[in-house]
Structure formats: structure tokens, C-alpha cells
Amino acid sequence: MTNTQVTLVQIDNYGPWTVTPEPRREADLQTLQSRLYADISQFVGNRDGYVFFTRFDNMIAVTNGLSMSDHRLLQETMGNRYPVTLSLGVATGTSPVQALSDATSLVQDAGSAQDKSRRECLEGRVIDDAHRTDDDVQIAHFDVVDATGQYTDELNAFDSFIHIEQGYAELMRHMRSDHESLSFFVGGDNIIVVCPDLERSEYETAIQHVEAAVDVELQVGVGRGISAHDAGFAAKHALETCRADGTRVELEW
Ligand SMILES: Nc1nc2c(ncn2[C@@H]2O[C@H](COP(=O)(O)OP(=O)(O)OP(=O)(O)O)[C@@H](O)[C@H]2O)c(=O)[nH]1
């Protein structure tokens, strides 16, 4: 049974900062956001977690294996490197959507995203080491079948982007509403989905749904593990099997 540990990372009082004392240059904000994401990804990734950039001012991480003191260190080291601070909410559960919802409530209850006095709050709790298991995390790695031949080598780069984004939007909504799962676009034509315990038929239905709705063909590899890295790595191997064998759904367990 999955037990996903989800962390909401929210930049403190970022909106006002972007316009104080006057609006800051957009390219500088883009640079800050992408560097902050890169540093958080490295910190979390070195501890076998995943973080997704989402809206950049709010990022969502799968942090199975990170302790509360790891979270505190993340706040300290980013606070030392950047002109902004981070608040973190951590929650766990069999449903990734519910865990994220609980993590979000913890941060919201500590104060508004634009509250000057809410800085570096750290709320919630993690899974004890003794209770961690090899099937705590289930990750599905989707990609578009032959995106290169269908889109990248055929259409202009913006029209390719529209097709890929439509596939993402449809999959994200379906997995959220029907399967309590969190889907994240991770570049190229790839979407990583953090799932509860789902079976082959549910992935088949999701792929059929996206194809019927927006005519984008997907394939998916699914893995389980004690951490996001372990589950995600198994999913990548399963996706390689799809590519080699022409199958649409491969489960690696
Ligand atoms: N984040 C991430 N991006 C990837 C990964 N694999 C491929 N990509 C991205 O996806 C793009 C397309 O690569 P593929 O998915 O291998 O190509 P494809 O044409 O869709 O071919 P098939 O997947 O074999 O159907 C690449 O340019 C990368 O940007 C991955 O594991 N993670």
C-alpha cells in the first residue's frame, strides 16, 4: 500500500518581493526561479526525493526518506543562498492528492503566502524510518509515442508544444479527478505522475481517455519503491520496455 510523503514548498511573500521597491526585471525573476528550483532539486534528489517546479513560487516534492531536520536544512541553505525564504508543509498518506492537500492546509494555517510575518514555517510530520516500505511510492512515467516523428520533426516548435501541453492537461485532469494522482510535466514530452496503488487497467483507461479527448498517444512505465527515485527509476526501465516492445503500459514489479 502506498504511503506518499509530500512536501509543499512555498516561497514566502514572493509576490510583494517581485514588485518592491518597483517591478523587477522579468529575466531576473526567471533566473532566480530556475536556479532556486535547480538547487532544491539537487538537495531533494541527493536524498532520493523528487521536486516538481509546478508554479515555481509553489513547488511540490515527494520527500519519502527526508526527515524534518533535512527539511530544516533545506530552508537554511536556500535562505543563505537566495534573497527569498521558503515555508514547508509535509504530510503523508495513501492518496497523493490528500497528502498534498494536508501539506497545503498546514502552510495556509500558518499564514498567507503574502503575510510579511510568516517566514520559514515548517509544519507537519514525516514517515518514521521503521515504517518505510518498498511500495511506499508509485510513480508512472508517461511519454508521447514518437513525439519526434509526430511533432518535433514535423511542426513548428510552438505547435508541437501546444499538442504536448494538451496531452498533459487532459492527463493531469483525468488522473487528478479519477485517481487521486498528481501529474507533472518534466520536459520534452514526458509527464511524471505520483499515484496511489493503481493497476494496469487504470493506466490503459487513462491513455485511451487522452487519445479520445485530444488525439495524443501516450505510453507509460510504472514503478514502485521506497523513495521517489527508486519508484521513478523502475518506471523509466518499464518505459524503455514500452519503447522496445511497442507496448503501451508496462508495470515494473
Ligand atoms: N525529463 C525527462 N525527459 C525525457 C526523458 N526521456 C526523454 N525525455 C525528453 O523527451 C524528448 C523526446 O524523447 P523521446 O521520448 O525518447 O522520443 P520520442 O520521439 O517520443 O520516441 P519514443 O519515446 O520512443 O516514442 C527528449 O528530447 C527529452 O526532452 C526522461 O526520462 N526524463
Side-chain angles (χ1 to χ4, degrees):
M1 180 98 101
T2 57
N3 192 10
T4 315
Q5 180 176 308
V6 177
T7 302
L8 172 68
V9 178
Q10 188 171 86
I11 304 179
D12 293 318
N13 206 26
Y14 184 55
W17 186 85
T18 63
V19 291
T20 305
E22 57 170 338
R24 296 176 195 259
R25 291 171 66 97
E26 185 55 32
D28 291 340
L29 298 177
Q30 295 297 317
T31 304
L32 166 71
Q33 289 172 194
S34 50
R35 287 196 176 143
L36 177 63
Y37 169 66
D39 277 5
I40 296 174
S41 181
Q42 187 173 44
F43 184 100
V44 172
N46 283 344
R47 291 159 179 78
D48 285 350
Y50 275 3
V51 60
F52 302 99
F53 50 79
T54 330
R55 291 164 59 203
F56 286 104
D57 58 351
N58 285 262
M59 298 177 234
I60 297 170
V62 178
T63 56
N64 293 65
L66 276 78
S67 64
M68 290 311 274
S69 62
D70 288 328
H71 283 80
R72 183 59 77 196
L73 179 59
L74 173 66
Q75 290 178 309
E76 185 187 335
T77 189
M78 297 308 153
N80 284 336
R81 279 182 238 184
Y82 291 94
V84 293
T85 56
L86 304 176
S87 282
L88 306 177
V90 195
T92 66
T94 52
S95 156
V97 165
Q98 188 59 50
L100 173 64
S101 186
D102 293 345
T104 307
S105 298
L106 291 167
V107 172
Q108 288 169 339
D109 290 349
S112 165
Q114 298 202 354
D115 178 342
K116 279 199 214 63
S117 59
R118 193 208 74 190
R119 276 168 62 90
E120 297 190 315
C121 78
L122 174 58
E123 306 291 337
R125 58 185 193 86
V126 299
I127 304 165
D128 294 339
D129 275 344
H131 291 108
R132 297 180 65 207
T133 68
D134 283 341
D135 54 9
D136 280 346
V137 184
Q138 180 164 323
I139 284 189
H141 195 131
F142 285 80
D143 95 340
V144 175
V145 176
D146 191 25
T148 310
Q150 291 268 324
Y151 304 115
T152 315
D153 292 346
E154 288 299 315
L155 305 179
N156 77 58
F158 195 80
D159 291 341
S160 294
F161 176 62
I162 289 179
H163 279 283
I164 302 290
E165 289 286 303
Q166 279 183 329
Y168 170 45
E170 205 56 47
L171 180 69
M172 161 171 54
R173 275 195 290 267
H174 174 82
M175 296 304 289
R176 164 71 184 87
S177 62
D178 289 22
H179 299 307
E180 303 264 313
S181 303
L182 303 169
S183 306
F184 302 95
F185 180 65
V186 294
D189 62 345
N190 285 232
I191 300 158
I192 290 181
V193 187
V194 184
C195 304
D197 289 304
L198 299 182
E199 294 300 334
R200 174 180 297 275
S201 62
E202 288 150 324
Y203 294 108
E204 286 167 349
T205 307
I207 288 173
Q208 285 159 10
H209 172 84
V210 172
E211 189 164 359
V214 292
D215 197 24
V216 171
E217 235 183 301
L218 298 172
Q219 57 197 348
V220 64
V222 192
R224 288 176 174 163
I226 194 169
S227 63
H229 166 74
D230 280 14
F233 213 57
K236 280 170 185 273
H237 282 294
L239 187 58
E240 287 300 306
T241 307
C242 290
R243 287 175 174 143
D245 299 354
T247 48
R248 290 289 182 265
V249 180
E250 287 292 334
L251 311 178
E252 184 99 345
W253 62 76

